[in-house]
């Protein structure tokens, strides 16, 4: 027979739980009971029926019995019955607990105050009130336990969700760097084969961008001005490696001060405009980007030419933008829920993106 099924298991569980509580939060419980004791004493003294010494002894016994009822309820009745959905059994057990300790409390007080007949008479006349007090304190402790368990469970659930989200964000961000690096190195390789004078400039620009990605993008947010500078460097790099006749612009409107943004959030749109737009077009083309900056919001508009074939719908399982746009959509959902609007329009000759974002 397993230990869990032995008759002494509930008592052992009660002892273990009580020990853990007293070791972990003794100050918290002690202050609570002390405050409760003080309130009872003040209320009793305001009645003006008994002396201070008598009131202190009486309420000390009351609080002691309350404590026994509360901890017996929390560590025995609550986990055995209420937590398992055995509500009627729990109610009966709580009534039984109150019936058990109320006479004990009354007997102790009756003999302790044997020299004061008025106190003994008061005890006998208020037996129901003492029972109700013990029953209610047990019920209130259950309500408090349910609330604290709910709060703790929600906090734990939130921590798990946050950790899951951070793990996914780290994975999504890790996809960006190799994706961009792969495209750029391919271009650099092609230029070195041609012994182009543009190759050294590409190396310098790439070095600046990699420094930003490696050392400044490890925080959840970065200054918007640094992100804009990164976009400018990227477009400068594209100007170096693109063929003649490509019109590439980035117009920043508004005042950039202390705004913060998730790192590498806008670059996938620009990457997409070249990889699936300009590079797929046979002749000429353009990439026009506009960033409107407000105090706590931005609007990013991007339009570029593309191939002559009508692409698949942007809502398809794998949109024409590839993993870059799939990535950025997911990052927006995780980082800016209910705080962004992303619109994508495609025609046979152009591709347009509009992103409104609350920072």
């Amino acid at each position: 027979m397993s230990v869990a099924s032995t008759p002494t298991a509930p008592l052992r569980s009660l002892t273990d739980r009580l020990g853990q509580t007293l070791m972990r939060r003794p100050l918290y419980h002690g202050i609570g009971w002390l405050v409760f004791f003080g309130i009872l004493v003040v209320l009793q003294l305001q009645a003006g029926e008994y002396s201070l010494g008598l009131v202190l002894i009486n309420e000390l016994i009351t609080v002691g019995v309350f404590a026994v009822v509360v901890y017996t309820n929390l560590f025995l009745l609550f986990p055995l019955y209420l937590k398992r959905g055995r509500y009627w059994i729990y109610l009966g057990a709580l009534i039984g607990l109150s019936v058990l300790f109320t006479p004990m409390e009354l007997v102790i007080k009756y003999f302790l105050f044997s020299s004061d007949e008025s106190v003994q008479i008061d005890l006998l006349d208020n037996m129901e009130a003492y029972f109700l007090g013990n029953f209610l304190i047990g019920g209130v402790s259950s309500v408090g336990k349910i609330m604290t368990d709910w709060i703790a469970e929600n906090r734990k659930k939130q921590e798990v969700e946050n950790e899951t989200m951070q793990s996914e964000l780290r994975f999504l961000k890790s996809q960006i760097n190799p994706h961009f690096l792969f495209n750029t190195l391919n271009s650099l390789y092609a230029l070195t084969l041609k012994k182009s004078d543009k190759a050294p400039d590409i190396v310098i620009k790439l070095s600046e961008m990699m420094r930003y990605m490696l050392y400044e993008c490890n925080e959840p947010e970065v200054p918007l001005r640094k992100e804009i500078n990164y976009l400018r460097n990227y477009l400068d790099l594209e100007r170096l490696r693109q063929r003649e006749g490509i019109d590439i612009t980035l117009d920043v409107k508004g005042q950039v001060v202390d705004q913060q943004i998730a790192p590498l959030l806008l670059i996938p749109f620009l990457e997409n405009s070249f990889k699936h737009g300009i590079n797929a077009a046979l002749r000429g083309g353009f990439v026009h980007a506009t960033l409107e900056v407000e105090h706590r919001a931005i609007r990013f508009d991007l339009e570029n030419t593309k191939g002559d074939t009508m692409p698949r719908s942007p809502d398809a399982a794998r949109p024409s933008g590839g993993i870059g746009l799939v990535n950025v959509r997911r990052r927006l959902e995780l980082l800016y829920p209910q705080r962004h609007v992303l619109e994508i329009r495609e025609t046979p000759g152009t591709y347009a993106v509009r992103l409104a974002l609350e920072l």
Side-chain angles (χ1 to χ4, degrees), residues 288-302:
H288 294 163
T290 302
L291 182 63
E292 296 183 16
V293 181
E294 298 179 2
H295 181 58
R296 286 292 177 265
I298 63 170
R299 193 178 75 178
F300 182 70
D301 290 286
L302 175 65

Side-chain angles (χ1 to χ4, degrees), residues 305-325:
T305 51
K306 55 190 296 297
D308 296 331
T309 303
M310 175 68 88
R312 288 181 295 172
S313 168
D315 296 325
R318 283 299 303 271
S320 60
I323 67 169
L325 289 185

